Amino acid sequence: MAHQSSDDPKNPLLPIHDDHQIQQSPPPPPPPPSSLVKSILTPNNLYILLGPLLCSVICLCVKLEGPESSRNMLAVLVWVFEWWVTEAVPMPITSMSPLFLFPLFGISSADNVAHSYMDDVIVLVLGSFILALAVEHYNIHRRLALNITLLFCGEPLNPPLLLLGICATTAFVSMWMINVATAMMMMPVATGILQNLPQGPTQSPLVRKFCKAVVLGVIYSTAVGGISTLTGTGVNLILVGMWKSYFPEANPISFSTWFFFGFPLALVILFILWVILCLLYCSRGSGQALSLYLDKSHIRSELQLLGPMAFAEKAVLAVFGMLIALWMTRSLTDDTHGWGALFNGCVGDGTASVLMATLLFIIPNKKKKGEKLMDWNKCKKLPWNIILLLGAGFAIADGVRTSGLADVLSRALDFLESAPYLAIAPVVCLISSIITEFTSNNSTTTLLVPLLIQIAKTMHVHPLLLMVPGAIGAQFSYLLPTGTASNIVGFSTGHINILDMIKTGLPLKITGIAALSILMPTLGVYVFGTNGEVL
């Protein structure tokens, strides 16, 4: 009999076997009760249950002097932060939980919560990430790093100058890309330079110290460079989004406004970092020890492998340069309007970001016919976890304000009214920088900034005088490998240990807090206009 065609719709979807052809295997024995209980009562499952349990306890036992929604908001906050801190549920999924918790607890409508996950700041991040992926795809970051390192190498070899070049390059790249991506890109460049040095038991103490300095320089410069711009790290974006949510009538913090404060601060901290690394790890005589193995020939050979710049690289750099120019000139000063004034204030930094990102999908790369600089397949690496975390931060900030929890916290902080600002600002920064060693920078900012807004209202000072130190302090995660993913990237190289991080990170954290405490009431007053009316 002829076999049916495979296209025959009457063919079964699964192959048919005769019953006698199938060997019946005995069913597996049921697991013993003890192993079943152990599989359920795992630490992770207990952490998952702890969130809703704490939420229920607060709803049933805690009474606040405010509307019922304020108590519900506090309960939801505890639930979300318990999941964030323990990572019992993946962080991106936890970041989406306000989308169902806020409507269920009567804190906010589903539409209002969803709006927090896609505003101008989120759009700014999306466009910036697409441009960063283009930079990574065409290896532009590596070419930039090698050229600057070649410039700073010196002849004869000058270890402090080379270290400055590596730190400055990393900080510059981190200004435009998120910290983890910068660390992942720059660490292979740095360790590639160190591969020319002897490894293992034959490595001299001077060479070993320089290897530590390079790895520490990359991970700390990544954090420092992120302070400079809004797109450098999610913390800055969370701060700007919360400022816009709490004070919609105030002037928004634009890219250029933040740059005029963040860049000088980052320069000061980067210089302090370089000095600390030179004092601890660049001993006298290290130049002679390193010159035997490390010279400009290795860097030149790496550059030769990359070949000359193609049209695609030049085009991506041109688009990136245009974006930076648009960011810097959209809003200049109160007296001098930027190009944003031509559109009656309807455009934002996110507008420029997505506009320039769109050009990457239009401009041909001149490698293959019909191929553009970017396509959507290359965008599958977009860090949606960061985007969702930002959205959750904005939703929580809006929920704290609209639920009445902000007013309850404000009344509870009346005792701070008499505290001097010069004393409380460094304390705020210190507390933020300690918490961030144990939780993510973004989570720390999301937790602290709404509280700092209420403290500022209680003290009758401009909110940014506390919000900015709190947010930037959350980026001072310098002591532990788990403080931030960038630290883990450096720690995994095997060149450094926890003692090295503490020995370098502690003085850097202290001097960073001091620099921020000095610049905020001086330069910050001029840049952010904090000497004006308290909002």
Side-chain angles (χ1 to χ4, degrees), residues 226-380:
I227 297 173
S228 305
T229 62
L230 285 185
T231 55
T233 177
V235 169
N236 299 344
L237 295 163
I238 290 173
L239 172 68
V240 171
M242 288 189 176
W243 172 254
K244 179 181 174 184
S245 174
Y246 274 86
F247 306 102
E249 303 300 323
N251 290 330
I253 301 174
S254 65
F255 185 94
S256 57
T257 300
W258 183 267
F259 182 82
F260 290 140
F261 178 79
F263 184 68
L265 175 64
L267 278 181
V268 171
I269 300 177
L270 184 66
F271 176 75
I272 294 170
L273 168 64
W274 177 64
V275 170
I276 292 172
L277 291 175
C278 289
L279 291 175
L280 293 178
Y281 300 103
C282 289
S283 307
R284 185 172 297 178
S286 60
Q288 293 180 349
L290 293 169
S291 60
L292 299 173
Y293 313 100
L294 189 63
D295 55 26
K296 290 188 174 182
S297 60
H298 170 73
I299 303 172
R300 288 195 183 101
S301 64
E302 291 282 336
L303 279 170
Q304 287 175 356
L305 290 175
L306 291 177
M309 283 189 72
F311 170 81
E313 292 178 70
K314 295 176 182 177
V316 171
L317 278 177
V319 172
F320 210 100
M322 290 168 60
L323 175 60
I324 295 171
L326 289 174
W327 275 340
M328 298 299 296
T329 57
R330 181 182 69 84
S331 176
L332 299 175
T333 64
D334 293 336
D335 300 324
T336 307
H337 299 293
W339 62 268
L342 299 175
F343 301 93
N344 299 320
C346 293
V347 297
D349 289 327
T351 310
S353 181
V354 173
L355 173 63
M356 292 296 105
T358 303
L359 289 180
L360 298 177
F361 296 84
I362 298 174
I363 301 173
N365 63 9
K366 292 193 175 180
K367 287 187 175 183
K368 292 183 180 179
K369 187 176 180 180
E371 196 172 81
K372 311 301 181 183
L373 291 174
M374 284 289 284
D375 58 60
W376 189 248
N377 284 331
K378 298 186 183 78
C379 295
K380 290 179 179 178

Side-chain angles (χ1 to χ4, degrees), residues 398-443:
D398 192 55
V400 169
R401 178 176 56 84
T402 58
S403 67
L405 182 59
D407 297 327
V408 174
L409 293 173
S410 179
R411 290 193 295 270
L413 297 170
D414 285 342
F415 66 94
L416 290 171
E417 187 171 350
S418 58
Y421 167 73
L422 292 177
I424 199 170
V427 172
V428 164
C429 189
L430 177 63
I431 293 172
S432 178
S433 66
I434 291 174
I435 295 174
T436 196
E437 298 290 351
F438 306 99
T439 64
S440 74
N441 301 355
N442 295 333
S443 299

